[in-house]
Amino acid sequence: MRKKIVAGNWKMNLNYEEGQKLTSEIVNMYKDENIKDVTVVLNPPFVHLFPVKKLIGNTPNLFLGSQNCSEKAAGAYTGETSASMLKSFGAEYVILGHSERREYFKESNELLTAKVRQALDNGLTPIFCCGEPLEIREAGTHEAYVKNQLTESLFGLSAEDFAKIVIAYEPIWAIGTGKTASSDQAQEMHKALREHLASKFGQEAADNTSILYGGSCNPGNAKDIFSKVDVDGGLIGGASLKSRDFMDIIKSF
Ligand code: PEP
């Protein structure tokens, strides 16, 4: 059985007080509203990790994640943060290959292979992002494009390591634009990606892999998107900054 997961990506938003307020609200609502069977991950910027973890404490099924980690283990890499540091501060997950990092920080499929390695070696679960830009969608080559992202970054993994990966399919044209993929478009891609994973790692491994949808997911469309058989949850940007919206998305299964 694959996990249902909702992960919030705060991106570069919120100061210390705002981050503490948002986290406290989410933790309290999460406990009060008796959420079951959904793994929730908060992914704040690096400086928030420790104080957010303090508020999360040991709340069952509520985890801390980072938005990035270095591809290096340690050393003279000014400004970088290693996977082992993240783990030691209480992170369990790390978002890797978000389209903003691919675009603005030129992260390649090859670099992401090294980041995935660091994450796995340090006991972090990668939430590996993939997705196509608008021109690729319009050209109709999106399936091949996204499959290639998975092939180049993940197909060198052992079966044991692959079993620890979470995938997030995020069509770039839907991220932060208010333009969501339809639930049918999401299902079509998730199914194709699962088949692609099965061709390398076998049907059982593919069936056990959580594939999240990301791209302008909100309380109004989450139920429809999450109802699709190959959609196992969401990676949520803008709506994860509002506690009520984020909770309503979590409750959309
Ligand atoms: C994201 O940043 O991964 C994302 C899906 O953002 P938004 O929900 O704002 O589109």
Side-chain angles (χ1 to χ4, degrees):
M1 265 291 280
R2 49 187 184 254
K3 278 186 191 161
K4 293 173 184 166
I5 302 173
V6 176
N9 174 12
W10 294 9
K11 310 194 186 193
M12 196 173 75
N13 290 300
L14 309 185
N15 66 21
Y16 172 72
E17 275 155 24
E18 291 162 343
Q20 290 286 279
K21 180 172 177 287
L22 176 64
T23 309
S24 303
E25 287 170 3
I26 291 171
V27 170
N28 290 335
M29 288 180 187
Y30 185 85
K31 287 176 179 163
D32 291 349
E33 298 178 26
N34 200 21
I35 309 293
K36 290 216 178 77
D37 304 331
V38 185
T39 295
V40 177
V41 189
L42 303 186
N43 299 269
F46 288 133
V47 288
H48 284 275
L49 287 168
F50 191 56
V52 167
K53 175 63 190 169
K54 278 190 155 176
L55 291 176
I56 292 176
N58 293 319
T59 312
N61 262 349
L62 186 49
F63 297 102
L64 182 71
S66 173
Q67 299 171 18
N68 184 25
C69 73
S70 174
E71 72 278 18
K72 307 287 187 192
Y77 301 103
T78 303
E80 289 292 276
T81 301
S82 71
S84 71
M85 290 172 194
L86 297 173
K87 184 73 182 182
S88 75
F89 278 90
E92 300 287 348
Y93 288 79
V94 58
I95 297 171
L96 293 175
H98 191 282
S99 63
E100 289 151 16
R101 298 222 48 96
R102 290 177 188 263
E103 185 181 349
Y104 306 138
F105 303 96
K106 306 293 168 231
E107 294 195 357
S108 64
N109 292 337
E110 192 186 356
L111 178 87
L112 291 169
T113 307
K115 292 195 175 200
V116 168
R117 185 72 268 144
Q118 280 302 316
L120 292 171
D121 286 350
N122 289 286
L124 296 174
T125 299
I127 300 176
F128 184 83
C129 301
C130 55
E132 79 285 357
L134 185 60
E135 62 272 20
I136 297 288
R137 168 64 66 161
E138 285 176 346
T141 52
H142 46 288
E143 225 180 271
Y145 182 94
V146 180
K147 284 179 180 174
N148 184 56
Q149 290 178 322
L150 300 184
T151 304
E152 291 198 356
S153 294
L154 301 179
F155 276 25
L157 292 175
S158 66
E160 195 188 336
D161 279 339
F162 176 71
K164 298 168 189 153
I165 303 282
V166 171
I167 307 285
Y169 168 62
E170 302 202 297
I172 299 170
W173 45 273
I175 297 179
T177 57
K179 203 172 172 186
T180 328
S182 70
S183 56
D184 287 338
Q185 283 175 319
Q187 167 57 24
E188 189 181 47
M189 275 303 274
H190 283 223
K191 182 169 179 284
L193 297 182
R194 201 179 300 286
E195 282 167 4
H196 186 54
L197 297 173
S199 73
K200 170 67 183 171
F201 296 103
Q203 194 60 52
E204 194 182 341
D207 284 343
N208 286 331
T209 303
S210 297
I211 307 181
L212 317 184
Y213 168 79
S216 300
C217 207
N218 62 47
N221 58 30
K223 209 175 190 65
D224 181 29
I225 295 170
F226 293 177
S227 71
K228 296 296 175 182
V229 67
D230 285 294
V231 178
D232 307 306
L235 179 54
I236 317 299
S240 75
L241 298 173
K242 295 180 190 140
S243 53
R244 188 64 265 162
D245 284 1
F246 190 55
M247 287 309 295
D248 286 346
I249 292 171
I250 294 166
K251 291 168 84 175
S252 294
F253 280 106

